[in-house]
Amino acid sequence: MDINNILTQLGITENNPGTSTGTAWFGSGSTICSSSPVDGKHIASVQTTSTEEYEKVLQTAEQAFQFWRNVPAPKRGEVVRQLGEALREKKECLGALVSYEMGKSLQEGLGEVQEMIDICDFAVGLSRQLYGLTMHSERPGHRMYEQWHPLGIVGIISAFNFPVAVWSWNAALALICGNVCLWKPSSKTPLCAVACQHIIAEVLKANNLPEGISSLISGNPVGNLINNDKRIPLVSFTGSTRIGREVSSVVARRFGKTILELGGNNAIIISKEADLDMSIIGAVFGAVGTAGQRCTSTRRLIIHEDVYDNFKDKLVKAYAQLRIGNPLDQRNHVGPLIDTMAVDMYLSAIEKGKTEGARFIVDGSVLNGSEHASGCYVKPCIAEVENHFEIVQEETFAPILYLIKYKTLDEAVQLQNAVPQGLSSAIMTLNMREAEQFLSANGSDCGIANVNIGTSGAEIGGAFGGEKETGGGRESGSDAWKAYMRRQTNTINYGTTLPLAQGIKFDF
């Protein structure tokens, strides 16, 4: 892969790698050096945003909002439609950059860009469906209805594991709702964000729209500026539960709103009435896809005792066939972790598991050799554990899979729910009663609950997010758009008198 050619196609050149509010502004702060976990090579550097430049961006965004909110929603949808078309044109090169800078497989990189295209398509239709309700008034000669108005500036703080898709989930909806967007991407994948900013900037320029409708800033310090800024009524944060708590607390103190997409500790229940061959596919992909660095990655398998040994054997055989290497080579199944810090966390989790009594049936290790020269490639591993182990209760962003045995479905559901996180869950069963029980109010407590598919691979048509320490936020489909708007209830008196509520008399 010619990374320099890809960067050029995406508008990223040596003299133009920085951040921008539209087409003309660039940061001048400290430098972020982006290196690929695929081969350890330096890709490019990005200059971060200074405090003074942040203030300039915010002022530009405020001015842009005054204009953008008055553009009719269907016309805003047309601009988002053009963004989707631009992403279609850049899908191959942007997908390759995602794969190379983040380390996920090329298929996953292309799939992530396809998610961006899909959410743009979804948002275009939604731009004509921002419906409010009408209500009957208790007072004669009155009518009531509600309408939805844009909030203003939406701050988007995204994570490295989905370096472009999560921005688009938020931006496409926020834009058709009449908001403007301020994006602070992960400092581990800055070039993916710069590429997206170039793409949307060209669309905005082609429509003669002002700068500030979509802005990009870089550097961890500006995240704190966003969280504390009263001019930003909504902050959408994707990241760890630990940082999410801080974001939530800071934004709440100023009565701002948050969309929080935090940790996951996702389980698949393998019933004795499951299709075991199909279950193996869902379990293995869920555990090792993106090297276990999805918030929806499968962390735990809760397996019925009658099929436990059989399924375990199938799982071990499947892991023996995994090919670990360059994710741009589509013959490989597992790519690298994002950096050596993630590798250290992987090794630490394995050691902690062993001290608590975990029995590893597939050992984990760091891979060496020319193909794994970056030091970021690790071997997916499997351990038999008890659900209450501290390490099992935590989310480790790495391909470590825990096996737990159960006897009854009630027990399995209790084990599934007995973790602090509540993002994604699944059951593999051909028994309709088991499936419906799992989906009932007495079943999974997660924001996502699946039957006969794994925990990862959510579609944009449904609202994405989870409960408990996952944060409670919802993004993408369904009515998630409402989080980006403020609700207003309107009462209109078209009569000749002014009756007061509760029959109160107040005559002059």
Side-chain angles (χ1 to χ4, degrees), residues 160-466:
F160 74 85
N161 59 329
F162 280 85
V164 295
V166 170
W167 166 73
S168 70
W169 292 354
N170 286 274
L173 297 190
L175 289 173
I176 63 102
C177 289
N179 303 294
V180 299
C181 299
L182 176 66
W183 183 17
K184 204 292 285 185
S186 170
S187 294
K188 296 183 179 183
T189 50
L191 296 176
C192 289
V194 173
C196 290
Q197 181 63 18
H198 281 305
I199 292 170
I200 192 171
E202 288 300 315
V203 172
L204 297 175
K205 182 179 179 181
N207 286 273
N208 296 313
L209 293 170
E211 291 195 357
I213 291 175
S214 177
S215 305
L216 176 66
I217 57 178
S218 296
N220 291 333
V222 295
N224 290 328
L225 296 178
I226 291 175
N227 297 333
N228 284 281
D229 200 323
K230 292 182 178 180
R231 296 169 294 181
I232 303 176
L234 173 64
V235 177
S236 176
F237 173 82
T238 302
S240 70
T241 298
R242 179 180 64 85
I243 301 300
R245 279 198 181 95
E246 297 177 13
V247 172
S248 177
S249 176
V250 171
V251 176
R253 279 200 298 270
R254 60 176 177 82
F255 294 103
K257 298 180 180 181
T258 53
I259 297 173
L260 300 175
E261 298 290 353
L262 310 178
N265 194 346
N266 316 295
I268 301 177
I269 297 173
I270 309 294
S271 165
K272 65 179 179 180
E273 298 189 54
D275 180 326
L276 296 187
D277 291 334
M278 187 169 69
S279 300
I280 282 289
I281 296 172
V284 174
F285 173 73
V288 309
T290 325
Q293 296 173 112
R294 293 185 178 211
C295 50
T296 55
S297 290
T298 305
R299 311 288 177 199
R300 298 173 294 146
L301 291 183
I302 303 170
I303 309 169
H304 193 278
E305 60 182 5
D306 288 358
V307 296
Y308 184 89
D309 290 335
N310 184 15
F311 194 80
K312 180 175 69 173
D313 290 344
K314 288 177 177 288
L315 200 61
V316 171
K317 290 177 182 177
Y319 268 54
Q321 299 175 52
L322 292 175
R323 292 186 294 272
I324 307 166
N326 189 325
L328 293 164
D329 183 344
Q330 297 191 47
R331 294 172 298 179
N332 292 325
H333 300 110
V334 185
L337 295 178
I338 185 64
D339 55 25
T340 54
M341 185 183 301
V343 173
D344 291 340
M345 293 175 64
Y346 159 85
L347 293 173
S348 177
I350 290 174
E351 289 307 309
K352 184 173 181 179
K354 289 178 178 179
T355 62
E356 291 189 86
R359 190 175 78 86
F360 281 81
I361 58 175
V362 175
D363 289 325
S365 62
V366 181
L367 302 182
N368 300 307
S370 58
E371 189 181 3
H372 309 117
S374 68
C376 298
Y377 291 87
V378 301
K379 183 181 176 184
C381 56
I382 306 172
E384 295 179 295
V385 300
E386 295 180 28
N387 200 62
H388 63 81
F389 288 176
E390 283 188 14
I391 193 60
V392 178
Q393 293 286 307
E394 300 171 4
E395 178 190 41
T396 302
F397 238 45
I400 305 174
L401 182 61
Y402 301 119
L403 306 189
I404 303 161
K405 189 182 296 186
Y406 80 91
K407 293 183 179 181
T408 68
L409 183 58
D410 285 342
E411 178 191 5
V413 171
Q414 289 175 5
L415 289 168
Q416 139 72 37
N417 294 341
V419 292
Q421 309 84 358
L423 179 52
S424 187
S425 58
I427 186 171
M428 295 293 188
T429 181
L430 301 179
N431 184 309
M432 183 184 71
R433 289 179 175 175
E434 286 190 330
E436 292 297 331
Q437 183 178 338
F438 178 74
L439 299 177
S440 74
N442 296 320
S444 170
D445 65 0
C446 293
I448 299 170
N450 299 327
V451 176
N452 291 329
I453 64 170
T455 59
S456 59
E459 297 183 28
I460 61 95
F464 179 88

